[in-house]
Amino acid sequence: MDKKREALSRAMAEFLDIPKDLVMDLPKVTMIGRNEFYLENHRGIIEYNLTRLRINLSRGFLEIQGNNLEIKNLLPDEMSVYGDINMIKFFD
Amino acid sequence: MDNRVLNQMEGIIGIRLFGTKVEKVINMALARGIYIWEIKRREDFLEFKIRRSAYEALSNIVSENNYKMEIINEKGLPFFKNTIKRRFGFFGGAVLFLLAIYFVSSFIWFIEVVNNEKVDSGTIMMTAARHGLYKGAAKWNFSRTDVEEAMMLDINQLSYIKVDIRGVKATIEVVEKILPGDEITGPCHIVAAKDGVVEEILLLEGQVNVKEGDVVSKGDILISGIVFYQPNPLFSEIEEDAKEDKPVDIVRARGIVRARVWYEGYGECKRTTERIINTGRMNRQIIVKSPWFDFRIYGAADPGYVQAKTQVKKREIESPIGVFGWNDLVSIERKKVVTHLSENEAVKIARQKAMQTLTDAMKQDKLPREMEIEILSAPSDPVLRCKVAVDVIEDIAKPEPINEQ
């Protein structure tokens, strides 16, 4: 059922030329250099320490690995992370 | 995302959160719309900042879930209140100072008038003062445009006034009217502006009183504006009636009368001149004065100059027991220099002076090529005198209104 809804949403977004992050609630990631990371449409924090940050998404989760990671701002649907980022991974 | 000014206004609290899986508390706080920033992981706790208004909600979440938290620091305006209360004198003084500056800057302290040449600055400032703009006037007591309009009505010689107020200074910028000259438009004669011999006459209107070759004096009527009837021998019968109707015509005489006029310049030069010049040598003395004795601390007492000019600067204080202070004396040596000029040199200088007076009399820089130079004194005279005469042909016509009474 969910897959059908997702497919319909994607088709609608493509047909009407609407950004998918709005229609499908997809995460929007912005990186400035390798030290600043911005994320919109998150669903909370799963795990946080200085080397690893796991962020819950609408589908799966996202993992950031690095050193001296710090959550600079945290709002209900957006966040920014500063630190020496080595890797970003998406998990379903 | 982050409004630092708003955070400072509302107050910022630094929190230290203890326990395992503290991410749970963070997520619950997020769900309640609490804004959290600068989250840092330490050894066994988490540090972050929240707004003062969110503290109560967060402490409820923490206690409900059996976590522990403590306040690290408090910043922002609400926490500054105590400091303000403690140092009320200082902050009150600062506020009072700012208010005083604001109050004092609400008055006009300087007025400047620019771009006026004929109309006196004093007159303009007096008029402005009459309409509320004066030194010490409060800015709220007058309107800039009202002052401009009222001043325009009061001063006829001005065509534009702009009052510009910057801080405590008012600048009144004016543009003066350019009035037309006193041109004669009514009936007039043409009279001679200078003495001369008439060379050429061009009549445009009026009746000519002189002919070529006549010697005229200043003020003589050259072309009359009163035209008498002169019968035409060819139409004597027809014009008989016109004569009875209008025997005399008063017109505005117009024309050009060119005449030969003379100008003279005179100059003289002494063969022997005496001048006093500075030799360049000088002596400075500084004398300390007291009621009991005077003491020279610098310079020679008598430099031995034959002729000198002395400048004295006195710095003295009078007290009941006498005068204290010091005098600064500067003696500049001078000497008399006698210069003897040769006859040629003296003639040259006298001629230059004569030329200069001639140029001034003619009111023009360019002199005619032909001029008569006459040396009036003998070579043995102590003063050489020189006269330069020139004759030129120029228009001497000058309109003069006719007094009809």
Side-chain angles (χ1 to χ4, degrees), chain B residues 291-348:
Chain B
W292 308 281
F293 58 86
D294 292 352
F295 181 64
R296 195 180 69 254
I297 57 166
Y298 182 78
D302 181 18
Y305 300 153
V306 178
Q307 196 178 357
K309 186 184 166 191
T310 309
Q311 295 168 345
V312 184
K313 279 184 195 168
K314 288 185 177 179
R315 298 278 185 274
E316 291 172 353
I317 299 168
E318 283 193 22
S319 69
I321 49 168
V323 177
F324 289 94
W326 75 86
N327 289 355
D328 189 349
L329 278 86
V330 178
S331 305
I332 301 162
E333 192 189 30
R334 309 181 86 182
K335 70 175 180 185
K336 193 192 278 180
V337 178
V338 180
T339 317
H340 295 284
L341 294 174
S342 69
E343 190 196 340
N344 284 344
E345 285 170 335
V347 167
K348 197 177 168 187

Side-chain angles (χ1 to χ4, degrees), chain B residues 103-133:
Chain B
F103 181 71
V104 169
S105 65
S106 310
F107 294 89
I108 299 292
W109 296 117
F110 306 99
I111 299 178
E112 191 188 13
V113 180
V114 293
N115 291 351
N116 61 317
E117 284 173 7
K118 290 173 192 161
V119 186
D120 182 37
S121 294
T123 313
I124 295 170
M125 278 156 93
M126 281 290 283
T127 315
R130 247 197 334 269
H131 298 291
L133 176 59

Side-chain angles (χ1 to χ4, degrees), chain A residues 11-62:
Chain A
M12 279 287 288
E14 276 174 13
F15 180 70
L16 296 170
D17 209 11
I18 301 169
K20 290 188 186 72
D21 59 323
L22 295 177
V23 180
M24 297 168 67
D25 211 11
L26 290 175
K28 185 178 173 182
V29 175
T30 311
M31 272 205 81
I32 298 169
R34 56 171 292 183
N35 297 99
E36 289 178 41
F37 173 89
Y38 296 90
L39 175 67
E40 287 173 44
N41 294 335
H42 69 90
R43 290 279 179 275
I45 296 164
I46 300 167
E47 186 193 346
Y48 166 55
N49 56 48
L50 287 175
T51 54
R52 189 165 67 173
L53 174 63
R54 284 178 165 190
I55 305 158
N56 195 16
L57 302 175
S58 56
R59 223 177 85 183
F61 63 90
L62 184 147

